[in-house]
């Protein structure tokens, strides 16, 4: 074939040889490669039909490691001289680029020996390229030419022209493009070429200025982003000639554009220009371009800040701030000129709205000072303006306008963070203003903003806040102050704000030691007062203590101090309250309310989660001894009227048993490495309590505590024995008797399930009972314990139970959801990855099977359980299983249970967005059922149905059009719904249809 006179036959022969070489090029010897290279080079002069196969052969040879020196240069010279590349097909042109890329990777020094001839040869190869697949490779070659210092010689402009002709990129990928090349890929690739060398600057900058004037927004954005990229490698020399034109274009765009994107890119480009000029090293006789450039910026923007109508105030301020943020030098230069002017304008404009605008601009410039940190030269210009700045800020904070107050607080926070800027007397005034806003400002926005500001400034000035703010907050909480107020107690809002403020400022170790005693003292007052403090007051204190705990967690010393101060104190008050309930019904009653105990749980939990194992072990021995043996010696004020025996029987000890919630918070939050003393005894007592207590709150917390300990328990015989004991207690209780609900609760929590989602304190007895088995199940599901499947099967069996079926179905939500108090990673629980997927795989087929077998009166339980599982499953997993489950989900929409309806709709909405093709097959059923639910008596169901109706518009248009009139008519009714949130969703859905 190779000697045949017919070029087509010769081509087939060379094609075969090339295909063989592509398979075995790594096996060739040097002499063989030499012989083949000479053969292929001669074939480049053959008929044009042969050339594609020749190039394939040369591509194979270009990958040979034994290629003799000089052959790479020889091949490329032959291609440059003999092949008109742009007349070839796309694939053959790609082959040429591949050959060049291979040689540049393996024979770099040889190619550099060609000098500028190699650059010129490549320019000829690339000139006229149009295919995006080839352009990506060609742009990479140009980047390598520049980045690896190949000689460009006199061909810099030609190389620029051959690449810049594509700027800005105008490419729209065809639909269903198998190559996946996006416009953004080409833009970024070309930009990396254009911004790769300062040698292109004299050609590129005029082009950028020209394209910035384009009517196309995409061209403007591409030009601005390219300019920003170029500034990273340019210096004053490259920019000098074009600075006036660049500034003129940037200013015009910011002043005139209606596009936020264009404005943002203009500001980024100005920032980059200023930064580039700032870092350029000047020679002694060179002109300082930065000063002249900033003078132009100030000249063109400064006067707009003084205009009475303030039309161009914000565009001018943004330009000045973009330039000022580039470097310390630009910041100093611009703020020195602008800040005095803004202070002057503040005095000229008495209206609150105008003053707010001026303060917001001032804030922007002050934040730039904050960014650059403390530098004496930088601060000196501001220090001269300290008094007028403080006057302006304090004036804003006393203004009736809430919006002006909020800006004033933000400015004050920045000024307070500038090291050494405010004097001690100024800081005392700052504290006075913040306290006034926190305690006495009617608007909650200002009060909350002042608390946030206090929290930011307290670590910077801890002595000022310790000495001036905390004593005054403590004073407001004194009982004597309550008597001074009209009525018997201080206004609740004032106390609430005091508590919140104490927590907000607890951002420094020394301040924590001041605020925690104040909070605990107030809690003791609520506990010991002549009148019982309300549970809500206790909750407020606990919320503040919890916030302090979270802020202490990263500091070991503060964390241990907080733990030692707070945990024993809370336990002591709770224990005392539980003993007083029978003798003094009013004293301490609030501490035993479910909501108060539930509020103490996160406080104790947060105090334990970040303890070191050594300190945790030291503390846990005291707490476990307290609950098991009544050992109260470690508690403060430990003279109690009777013994503490929460696990003993008897009606009079019911109050003590409620405190198991605090035990749960402590032991379930410790690191897994901490050994719990007397753990087996503790587990048995918790198990007994969870099965026997008639109080839903006590039974559920005991089950949770049992589940938390089981989840972290090491594998082995002891764990197996305690689980078997739990099963022996649960199985008879689940079968019959008055404790069925408690047994179900235990089952749910102990099952090795996902992170448990605890129920609210006021859950009904049926749900509490249901929660017991759920707790056990959850604990095991999370850690993939072998027993979890057995417990789950029991739960599945209960779905057919007339009494417990509904509660068991809700238990599936508990198993799949995240738990707020125990069995989550924040409490160091053993939570395995993908436990939800595993639970789905193991149990959903059983749910489906049970549904088909169940009687009509319990089918809803199976649908509810299924919807709970699917609603918590990661959506990508659900999409893959959708075809087999969709019919059941659609049937669930017909269920009368609103929980099932709501859960199913929540599950279907994302599927309509993520799996439109599958959902399209059931369009008729979907439309009918979703529209019927838009008239549901339950508001949440109506909203979810309307969201699904909205999501239906994501399906293919051809599928939707037949239903369009019907849907629009049906969605007219919810437009008149009595609930605003429903009307809002109806407007969105109907408008989309």
């Amino acid at each position: 074939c190779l000697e045949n006179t017919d070029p087509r036959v010769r081509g087939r022969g060379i094609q075969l040889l090339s295909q063989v070489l592509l398979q075995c090029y790594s096996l060739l010897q040097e002499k063989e490669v030499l012989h083949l290279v000479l053969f292929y080079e001669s074939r480049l002069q053959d008929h044009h039909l042969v050339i594609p196969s020749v190039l394939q052969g040369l591509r194979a040879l270009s990958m040979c490691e034994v290629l003799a020196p000089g052959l790479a240069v020889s091949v490329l010279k032959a291609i440059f001289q003999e092949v008109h590349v742009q007349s070839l097909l796309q694939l053959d042109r790609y082959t040429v680029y591949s050959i060049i890329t291979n040689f540049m990777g393996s024979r770099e020094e040889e190619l550099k020996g060609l000098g500028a001839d190699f650059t010129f040869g490549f320019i000829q190869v690339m000139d006229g390229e149009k295919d995006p697949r080839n352009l990506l490779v060609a742009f990479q070659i140009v980047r390598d030419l520049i980045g690896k210092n190949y000689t460009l010689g006199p061909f810099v402009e030609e190389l620029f022209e051959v690449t810049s002709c594509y700027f800005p990129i105008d490419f729209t990928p065809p639909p269903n493009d198998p190559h996946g090349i996006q416009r953004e890929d080409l833009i970024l690739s070309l930009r990396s070429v254009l911004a790769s060398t300062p040698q292109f600057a004299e050609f590129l900058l005029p082009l950028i200025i020209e394209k910035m004037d384009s009517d196309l927004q995409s061209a403007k954005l591409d030009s601005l982003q390219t300019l920003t990229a170029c500034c990273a490698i340019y210096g004053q020399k490259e920019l000098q000639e074009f600075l006036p034109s660049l500034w003129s274009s940037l200013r015009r765009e910011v002043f005139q554009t209606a596009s936020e994107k264009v404005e943002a890119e203009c500001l980024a480009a100005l920032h980059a220009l200023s930064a580039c000029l700032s870092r350029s090293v000047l020679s002694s006789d060179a002109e300082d371009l930065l000063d002249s450039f900033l003078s132009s910026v100030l000249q063109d923007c400064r006067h707009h800040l003084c205009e009475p109508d303030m039309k161009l105030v914000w565009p001018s301020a943004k330009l000045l701030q973009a330039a000022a943020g580039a470097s310390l030098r630009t910041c100093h230069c611009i703020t020195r000129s602008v800040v005095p002017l803004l202070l002057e304008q503040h005095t000229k404009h008495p209206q609150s709205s105008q003053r707010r605008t001026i303060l917001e601009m001032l804030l922007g410039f002050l934040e730039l000072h904050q960014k650059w940190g403390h530098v004496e030269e930088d601060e000196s210009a501001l220090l001269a303006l300290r008094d007028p700045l403080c006057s302006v800020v304090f004036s804003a904070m006393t203004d009736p306008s809430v919006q002006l107050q909020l800006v004033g607080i933000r400015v004050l926070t920045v000024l307070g963070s500038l090291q050494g800027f405010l004097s001690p007397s100024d800081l005392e005034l700052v504290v006075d203003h913040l306290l006034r806003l926190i305690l006495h400002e009617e608007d909650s926005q200002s009060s909350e903003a002042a608390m946030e500001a206090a929290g930011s400034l307290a670590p910077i000035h801890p002595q000022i806040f310790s000495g001036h703010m905390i004593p005054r907050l403590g004073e407001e909480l004194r009982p004597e102050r309550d008597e001074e107020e009209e009525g018997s107690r201080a206004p609740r809002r004032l106390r609430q704000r005091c508590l919140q403020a104490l927590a907000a400022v607890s951002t420094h170790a020394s301040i924590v030691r001041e605020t925690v005693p104040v909070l605990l003292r107030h809690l003791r007052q609520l506990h010991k007062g002549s009148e019982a403090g309300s549970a809500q007051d206790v909750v407020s204190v606990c919320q503040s203590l919890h916030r302090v705990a979270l802020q202490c967690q990263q500091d070991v010393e503060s964390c241990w101090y907080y733990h030692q101060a707070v945990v024993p104190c809370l336990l002591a008050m709770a224990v005392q309250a539980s003993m007083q309930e029978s003798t003094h019904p009013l004293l301490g009653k609030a501490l035993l309310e479910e909501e108060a105990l539930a509020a103490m749980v996160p406080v104790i939990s947060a105090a334990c989660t970040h303890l070191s194992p050594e300190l945790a072990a030291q503390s846990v021995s005291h707490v476990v001894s307290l609950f098991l043996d009544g050992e109260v010696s470690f508690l403060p004020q430990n003279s109690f009227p009777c013994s503490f025996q929460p696990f003993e029987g008897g009606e009079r000890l019911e109050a003590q048993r409620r405190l198991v919630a605090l035990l749960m918070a402590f032991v379930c939050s410790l690191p897994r490495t901490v050994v719990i003393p007397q753990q087996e005894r503790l587990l048995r007592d918790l198990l007994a309590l969870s099965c026997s207590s008639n109080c839903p709150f006590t039974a559920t917390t005991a089950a949770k505590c049992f589940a938390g300990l089981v989840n972290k328990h090491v594998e082995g015989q002891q764990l197996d024995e305690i689980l078997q004991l739990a099963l022996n207690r649960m199985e008879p209780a689940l079968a019959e008797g008055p404790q069925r609900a408690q047994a179900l609760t235990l089952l749910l929590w102990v099952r090795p399930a996902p992170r448990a989602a605890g129920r609210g304190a006021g859950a009904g007895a049926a749900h509490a009972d249901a929660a017991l088995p759920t707790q056990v199940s959850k604990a095991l599901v999370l850690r993939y314990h072998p027993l979890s499947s057995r417990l789950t099967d029991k739960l599945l069996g209960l779905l057919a139970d007339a009494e417990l079926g509904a509660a068991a179905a809700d238990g599936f939500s508990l198993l799949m959801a995240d738990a707020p108090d125990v069995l989550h990673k924040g409490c160091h629980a053993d939570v395995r990855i993908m436990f939800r997927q595993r639970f789905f795989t193991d149990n959903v087929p059983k749910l489906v099977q049970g549904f088909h077998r169940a009687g009509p009166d319990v089918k809803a339980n199976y649908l509810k359980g299924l919807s709970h599982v699917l609603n918590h499953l990661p959506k990508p997993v659900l999409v893959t299983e959708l075809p087999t489950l969709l019919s059941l989900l659609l049937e669930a929409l017909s269920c009368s249970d609103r929980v099932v309806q709501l859960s199913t709709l929540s599950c279907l909405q994302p599927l309509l967005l993520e799996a439109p093709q599958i959902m399209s097959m059931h369009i008729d059923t979907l439309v009918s059922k979703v529209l019927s639910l838009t008239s549901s008596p339950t508001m949440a169901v109506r909203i979810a149905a309307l969201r699904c109706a909205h999501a239906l518009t994501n399906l293919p248009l051809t599928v939707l059009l037949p239903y369009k009139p019907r849907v629009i008519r049906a969605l007219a009714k919810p437009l008149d719904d009595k609930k605003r949130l429903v009307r809002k969703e109806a407007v969105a859905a109907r408008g989309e249809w």
Side-chain angles (χ1 to χ4, degrees):
C1 290
L2 298 180
E3 296 180 342
N4 197 295
T5 56
D6 186 343
R8 289 180 177 79
V9 178
R10 288 201 307 279
R12 285 200 296 273
I14 296 174
Q15 183 183 22
L16 174 61
L17 177 60
S18 297
Q19 288 172 342
V20 171
L21 289 176
L22 283 168
Q23 298 296 322
C24 70
Y25 63 86
S26 60
L27 307 176
L28 296 175
Q29 298 175 12
E30 184 174 336
K31 289 183 178 179
E32 294 169 336
V33 173
L34 172 61
H35 188 73
L36 287 165
V37 165
L38 295 175
F39 166 73
Y40 273 107
E41 282 184 3
S42 67
R43 291 302 91 202
L44 286 174
Q45 300 172 6
D46 204 333
H47 194 277
H48 68 88
L49 293 174
V50 176
I51 298 302
S53 299
V54 175
L55 292 173
Q56 288 294 338
L58 287 172
R59 182 166 74 89
L61 295 171
S62 71
M63 294 186 281
C64 290
E65 294 182 3
V66 294
L67 196 71
L71 286 183
V73 170
S74 173
V75 169
L76 289 179
K77 279 185 175 180
I79 291 174
F80 293 159
Q81 290 172 7
E82 304 296 343
V83 182
H84 184 247
V85 175
Q86 288 307 314
S87 66
L88 301 174
L89 296 176
Q90 179 270 327
L91 181 60
D92 303 324
R93 301 198 304 275
Y94 189 90
T95 303
V96 174
Y97 295 127
S98 299
I99 294 169
I100 295 173
T101 301
N102 291 340
F103 283 145
M104 289 180 74
S106 61
R107 298 291 187 271
E108 181 179 327
E109 293 306 318
E110 291 182 35
L111 300 192
K112 286 182 176 178
L114 275 172
D117 290 344
F118 175 60
T119 303
F120 180 69
F122 172 73
I123 291 171
Q124 287 181 307
V125 166
M126 182 183 173
D127 194 10
E129 182 59 68
K130 290 185 175 62
D131 191 277
R133 291 165 287 181
N134 293 349
L135 284 174
L136 286 176
V137 184
F139 291 155
Q140 180 61 55
I141 292 172
V142 179
R143 285 203 298 278
D144 289 342
L145 279 172
I146 295 167
K148 295 181 179 179
N149 297 315
Y150 282 79
T151 303
L152 304 184
F155 303 116
V156 173
E157 185 172 3
E158 284 78 3
L159 186 61
F160 172 77
E161 292 294 340
V162 84
T163 50
S164 64
C165 62
Y166 304 100
F167 180 81
I169 293 289
D170 182 20
F171 168 68
T172 304
N176 303 319
D177 179 19
H179 307 292
I181 295 175
Q182 300 298 315
R183 179 171 176 269
E184 192 66 19
D185 299 328
L186 290 166
I187 287 174
L188 295 176
S189 187
L190 176 58
R191 185 177 300 150
S192 65
V193 170
L194 298 178
S196 61
T197 173
Q199 295 180 74
F200 284 168
E202 60 179 305
F203 316 114
L204 177 59
L205 291 175
L207 179 62
I208 287 177
I209 293 168
E210 176 192 334
K211 298 300 180 184
M212 283 168 64
D213 294 336
S214 169
D215 293 332
L216 292 174
Q217 179 173 305
S218 59
K220 288 181 188 289
L221 292 172
D222 200 355
S223 301
L224 291 164
Q225 290 164 354
T226 303
L227 174 60
T228 302
C230 289
C231 288
I233 63 163
Y234 287 2
Q236 291 200 8
K237 174 186 171 185
E238 287 77 25
L239 293 173
Q240 182 170 8
E241 180 185 348
F242 305 100
L243 276 176
S245 299
L246 287 169
W247 163 238
S248 175
S249 297
L250 292 172
R251 182 190 64 214
R252 183 190 67 248
E253 289 299 327
V254 172
F255 281 167
Q256 297 178 3
T257 188
S259 166
E260 291 183 4
K261 289 182 180 178
V262 172
E263 181 187 81
E265 294 300 338
C266 283
L267 297 176
L270 177 59
H271 181 280
L273 277 172
S274 302
C276 177
L277 296 174
S278 298
R279 65 174 172 263
S280 298
V281 179
L282 301 173
S283 58
S284 57
D285 57 344
E287 178 190 358
D288 186 354
L289 285 182
L290 179 62
D291 270 354
S292 59
F293 179 67
L294 293 180
S295 296
S296 299
V297 174
L298 284 165
Q299 182 181 345
D300 291 338
C301 294
R302 199 172 179 273
H303 65 279
H304 290 303
L305 303 180
C306 307
E307 292 175 355
D309 55 5
M310 304 181 86
K311 280 184 179 178
L312 293 176
V313 159
W314 270 119
S316 300
K318 288 177 181 177
L319 286 166
L320 289 166
Q321 287 170 6
S327 68
L328 176 62
R329 191 174 159 210
T330 59
C331 179
H332 182 63
C333 177
I334 289 179
T335 54
R336 183 176 53 195
S337 172
V338 172
V339 170
L341 179 65
L342 291 175
L343 292 172
E344 180 185 329
Q345 292 303 304
H346 185 273
T347 59
K348 291 181 179 179
H349 293 85
Q351 297 94 334
S352 292
S353 59
Q354 293 174 322
R355 287 192 164 186
R356 175 184 156 201
T357 301
I358 293 167
L359 262 186
E360 285 175 338
M361 289 188 290
L362 198 57
L363 175 65
F365 290 105
L366 292 173
E367 284 175 338
L368 294 174
H369 275 270
Q370 188 183 33
K371 167 187 171 183
W372 293 108
H374 176 70
V375 179
E376 289 186 8
E377 179 195 6
D378 182 41
E379 297 290 347
S380 62
L382 269 187
L383 280 173
L385 301 170
R386 179 170 63 192
D387 290 341
L389 274 171
C390 288
S391 174
V392 163
V393 174
F394 294 151
S395 167
M397 293 177 70
T398 54
D399 194 274
S401 167
V402 172
Q403 298 304 317
L404 186 55
Q405 288 178 12
L406 293 175
V407 181
I409 292 168
R410 290 167 62 198
V411 176
L412 182 66
T413 305
V414 175
L415 290 179
S417 67
L418 296 175
Q419 186 179 343
F421 184 78
L422 295 178
S423 66
S425 58
D426 291 331
L427 286 168
E428 290 179 16
L429 273 175
V430 167
V431 170
D432 290 339
H433 280 288
L434 291 177
L435 266 173
R436 180 184 55 77
L437 290 173
I438 288 170
L439 300 179
H440 305 297
E441 176 57 44
E442 288 293 325
D443 190 89
S444 60
Q445 280 183 294
S446 296
S447 178
E448 289 167 7
M451 289 183 206
E452 188 178 342
S456 300
L457 295 176
I460 304 171
H461 310 286
Q463 292 181 333
I464 294 290
F465 280 84
S466 291
H468 291 79
M469 178 173 276
I470 294 166
R472 290 171 62 181
L473 290 171
E475 186 75 14
E476 294 292 341
L477 291 174
R478 282 190 307 111
E480 295 83 356
R481 178 57 62 94
D482 292 353
E483 295 167 8
E484 293 165 11
E485 300 287 340
E486 292 183 14
S488 62
R489 299 186 65 78
R492 174 167 288 181
R493 188 188 70 177
L494 181 63
R495 292 198 306 275
Q496 188 87 3
R497 287 188 176 182
C498 283
L499 294 171
Q500 291 171 348
L502 285 167
V505 298
S506 301
T507 49
H508 187 272
S510 65
I511 296 178
V512 169
R513 292 175 182 269
E514 303 279 344
T515 56
V516 166
V518 175
L519 291 168
L520 293 176
R521 185 176 68 232
H522 183 62
L523 190 58
R524 289 193 199 97
Q525 290 165 5
L526 294 173
H527 171 50
K528 293 180 179 179
S530 58
E531 293 185 19
S534 74
Q536 187 53 51
D537 291 331
V538 175
V539 170
S540 298
V541 180
C542 289
Q543 287 172 342
S544 293
L545 284 169
H546 182 230
R547 181 173 176 181
V548 177
L550 296 177
Q551 291 165 182
C552 287
Q553 284 179 341
Q554 303 308 317
D555 181 68
V556 176
E557 186 180 341
S558 295
C559 187
W560 181 233
Y561 163 76
Y562 180 92
H563 182 88
Q564 287 181 303
V566 173
V567 174
C569 183
L570 287 182
L571 289 172
M573 283 188 281
V575 169
Q576 190 173 39
S578 70
M579 294 176 180
Q580 288 175 337
E581 190 183 42
S582 57
T583 53
H584 301 85
L586 288 179
L587 288 178
K589 177 74 174 175
L591 288 176
L592 300 177
E593 295 286 345
E594 288 181 15
E595 56 182 314
L597 289 171
M600 291 186 203
V601 167
V603 177
I604 294 176
S605 178
C608 298
T609 52
H610 285 65
L611 285 181
S612 67
E614 298 77 20
L615 295 176
Q618 178 183 332
S619 189
V620 71
S621 61
H622 295 307
V623 175
V624 172
S625 295
L626 168 67
F627 279 86
L628 291 182
D629 305 317
E631 177 56 59
V632 297
S633 59
F634 78 101
L635 297 178
Q637 301 171 348
N638 53 23
S639 56
F640 301 117
C642 59
S643 59
F644 183 62
Q645 299 171 316
F647 291 114
E648 296 296 323
E651 288 268 335
R652 66 184 184 84
L653 297 178
E654 181 56 47
Q656 294 186 14
R657 286 194 283 272
R658 296 164 77 83
L659 302 193
V660 170
L662 306 185
L663 172 68
M664 173 198 75
F666 192 100
V667 296
C668 292
S669 301
L670 298 173
R672 266 182 272 174
T673 53
V674 176
V675 176
I676 308 294
Q678 306 184 69
Q679 185 170 13
E680 305 313 311
R681 176 186 167 193
L682 181 59
L683 284 167
R684 291 172 188 273
D685 286 349
L686 288 167
L687 178 60
L689 181 60
S690 65
C691 291
S692 62
S693 176
N694 293 320
C695 171
F697 178 79
T698 302
T700 301
T701 51
K704 287 183 182 181
C705 189
F706 182 85
L709 292 173
V710 164
N711 174 264
K712 297 179 187 178
H713 201 296
V714 294
E715 297 284 351
Q717 184 180 353
Q718 286 183 330
L719 178 61
D720 295 339
E721 287 176 359
I722 198 68
L723 288 174
Q724 188 59 51
L725 180 63
L727 277 175
N728 294 341
R729 293 292 296 267
M730 282 188 288
E731 287 177 338
L734 285 170
E736 58 183 358
Q739 306 295 332
R740 297 188 76 203
Q742 286 93 323
L744 177 55
T745 302
L746 182 63
L747 170 66
L748 288 170
W749 277 104
V750 180
R751 212 194 105 250
R755 299 189 294 167
R759 294 207 162 274
H767 286 293
D769 300 347
L772 262 170
T774 317
Q775 319 287 17
V776 183
S777 298
K778 177 131 192 154
L780 301 180
V781 167
L782 288 175
R783 60 182 282 182
Y784 296 166
H785 191 278
L787 190 59
S788 63
S789 58
R790 180 178 169 187
L791 292 172
T792 308
D793 289 342
K794 288 190 176 297
L795 187 62
L796 287 164
L798 288 172
L799 291 173
D801 187 284
E803 180 187 353
L804 293 181
D810 284 334
F812 282 92
S813 175
L814 176 64
L815 294 177
M816 297 294 287
D818 292 338
D821 40 18
V822 294
L823 296 181
H824 61 88
K825 289 185 177 179
C827 288
H828 311 286
D830 186 358
V831 181
R832 305 297 174 87
I833 61 171
M834 300 178 69
F835 73 84
R836 292 185 177 90
Q837 289 90 317
R838 179 167 178 167
F839 185 83
F840 171 87
T841 304
D842 291 346
N843 297 292
V844 165
K846 299 175 185 176
L847 272 172
V848 174
Q849 195 175 31
F851 170 80
H852 290 303
R853 292 178 179 172
D857 54 333
V858 294
K859 276 185 178 290
N861 296 337
Y862 288 89
L863 288 175
K864 185 187 287 190
L866 178 66
S867 63
H868 283 316
V869 174
L870 298 183
N871 219 25
H872 291 93
L873 197 66
K875 291 302 176 280
V877 179
L878 185 52
V879 168
T880 61
E881 301 292 338
L882 189 57
T884 58
L885 295 172
L886 189 53
S887 59
L888 256 184
L889 285 173
L890 294 175
E891 190 166 344
L893 290 178
S894 303
C895 179
S896 59
D897 189 313
R898 65 178 182 82
V899 176
V900 177
Q901 293 172 350
L902 188 58
S903 186
T904 307
L905 288 168
S906 301
C907 188
L908 285 173
Q909 185 194 352
L911 295 175
L912 287 165
L913 303 174
E914 295 173 25
Q917 298 303 325
I918 299 174
M919 303 298 278
S920 298
M921 298 164 63
H922 300 268
I923 180 67
D924 193 66
T925 309
L926 277 167
V927 168
S928 300
K929 292 186 181 295
V930 166
L931 290 181
S932 68
L933 290 175
T934 59
S935 303
S936 167
T938 305
M939 183 182 79
V941 173
R942 298 201 299 277
I943 290 174
L946 288 166
R947 287 175 178 166
C948 278
H950 193 165
L952 279 169
T953 59
N954 193 56
L955 303 186
L957 190 62
T958 51
V959 173
L960 296 177
L961 282 176
Y963 299 91
K964 177 180 172 181
R966 174 187 169 190
V967 174
I968 291 177
R969 281 197 305 272
L971 293 182
K973 182 182 176 183
L975 291 176
D976 292 326
D977 197 279
K978 60 184 179 181
K979 295 294 185 180
R980 182 183 62 82
L981 293 176
V982 177
R983 297 195 299 272
K984 178 183 174 184
E985 296 294 341
V987 168
R990 193 168 187 265
E992 198 64 34
W993 273 93

